[in-house]
Amino acid sequence: KAGVTQTPRYLIKTRGQQVTLSCSPISGHRSVSWYQQTPGQGLQFLFEYFSETQRNKGNFPGRFSGRQFSNSRSEMNVSTLELGDSALYLCASSLSAYEQYFGPGTRLTVT
Amino acid sequence: GDSVTQMEGPVTLSEEAFLTINCTYTATGYPSLFWYVQYPGEGLQLLLKATKADDKGSNKGFEATYRKETTSFHLEKGSVQVSDSAVYFCALEIQGAQKLVFGQGTRLTINP
């Protein structure tokens, strides 16, 4: 069974630009969560989607948004990029509670 | 709010040494507890879990017991290998929330 895939794996953007990251969950998984990982703040929860509905949201500004499609694939968008948005963005999918499977992440660098 | 505290790293051990990485938590509800491992350049892999008090999670020689009285979930392994070198994260999830709260991570290096 294929794991969680994330595209692209690496991305370089300039301050003020916007970016869209994509996540394809494990087949059959309907819940997709996003996390930001930085050396300073560690791993922080961004949001979680289930059946195209956002069920949970972390403490991030409105520049961070996401959506989920009917096939459970998810995208997250960051607008007006800041230097501090440089991070590894991880996506996780789950079939049920207690089991989240993570993708390899997208490394975003903002210059 | 809910939080997880891990022992400060980095931790460096020799091969075949005994490993303990401490983890304590604060939670308002009844959390499930997890250990995840991250190898260089990769995402997180679930190492083990425990969903209720006194449960013991185990995998690949690693063990952790959910201690409600001490709000702890310490990771142990009797004999570490070089291949265990990675960053280890303790995490909790409040039942039904589908949201993981992570500790700051502990970098483990095993020398041959």
Side-chain angles (χ1 to χ4, degrees):
Chain A
K1 201 176 212 182
V4 177
T5 58
Q6 293 187 245
T7 56
R9 291 292 310 276
Y10 302 91
L11 206 48
I12 300 175
K13 290 287 188 178
T14 304
R15 267 182 304 176
Q17 289 185 316
Q18 76 166 15
V19 67
T20 299
L21 311 182
S22 181
C23 171
S24 292
I26 293 171
S27 178
H29 287 194
R30 295 167 65 188
S31 171
V32 174
S33 301
W34 289 89
Y35 294 83
Q36 181 196 62
Q37 185 177 22
T38 60
Q41 299 299 315
L43 279 152
Q44 293 185 287
F45 172 79
L46 280 156
F47 26 64
E48 185 251 347
Y49 287 86
F50 181 86
S51 292
E52 303 178 66
T53 300
Q54 186 182 88
R55 293 197 300 189
N56 234 325
K57 189 177 191 307
N59 295 324
F60 279 82
R63 299 185 297 107
F64 291 81
S65 62
R67 60 177 175 169
Q68 186 180 34
F69 302 95
S70 58
N71 61 358
S72 294
R73 189 177 71 83
S74 178
E75 290 181 346
M76 67 162 282
N77 184 276
V78 188
S79 62
T80 320
L81 284 165
E82 301 176 359
L83 294 179
D85 298 333
S86 294
L88 180 67
Y89 290 89
L90 293 164
C91 165
S93 76
S94 64
L95 182 62
S96 63
Y98 319 130
E99 293 272 357
Q100 291 198 35
Y101 296 87
F102 283 80
T106 294
R107 172 76 60 186
L108 171 65
T109 301
V110 182
T111 62
Chain B
D2 305 323
S3 65
V4 176
T5 302
Q6 287 181 236
M7 66 184 288
E8 293 290 328
V11 174
T12 302
L13 296 172
S14 298
E15 205 166 21
E16 298 183 4
F18 184 86
L19 168 71
T20 299
I21 301 178
N22 289 338
C23 171
T24 57
Y25 68 89
T26 302
T28 52
Y30 299 95
S32 296
L33 301 173
F34 306 83
W35 277 99
Y36 281 85
V37 58
Q38 186 174 35
Y39 297 101
E42 297 184 14
L44 300 174
Q45 296 178 24
L46 177 62
L47 183 58
L48 52 83
K49 67 181 181 187
T51 58
K52 61 183 187 298
D54 300 324
D55 269 1
K56 176 186 279 189
S58 62
N59 185 26
K60 300 181 181 179
F62 291 90
E63 292 184 339
T65 301
Y66 189 145
R67 302 284 188 202
K68 188 177 178 182
E69 62 276 13
T70 55
T71 62
S72 65
F73 193 55
H74 304 320
L75 182 68
E76 296 181 336
K77 187 176 185 182
S79 176
V80 293
Q81 306 301 313
V82 172
S83 57
D84 293 328
S85 298
V87 181
Y88 291 79
F89 293 91
C90 184
L92 66 80
E93 181 180 88
I94 299 300
Q95 187 175 10
Q98 291 289 94
K99 166 190 170 183
L100 289 166
V101 176
F102 288 91
Q104 66 268 40
T106 300
R107 182 175 299 278
L108 173 66
T109 302
I110 307 300
N111 293 321

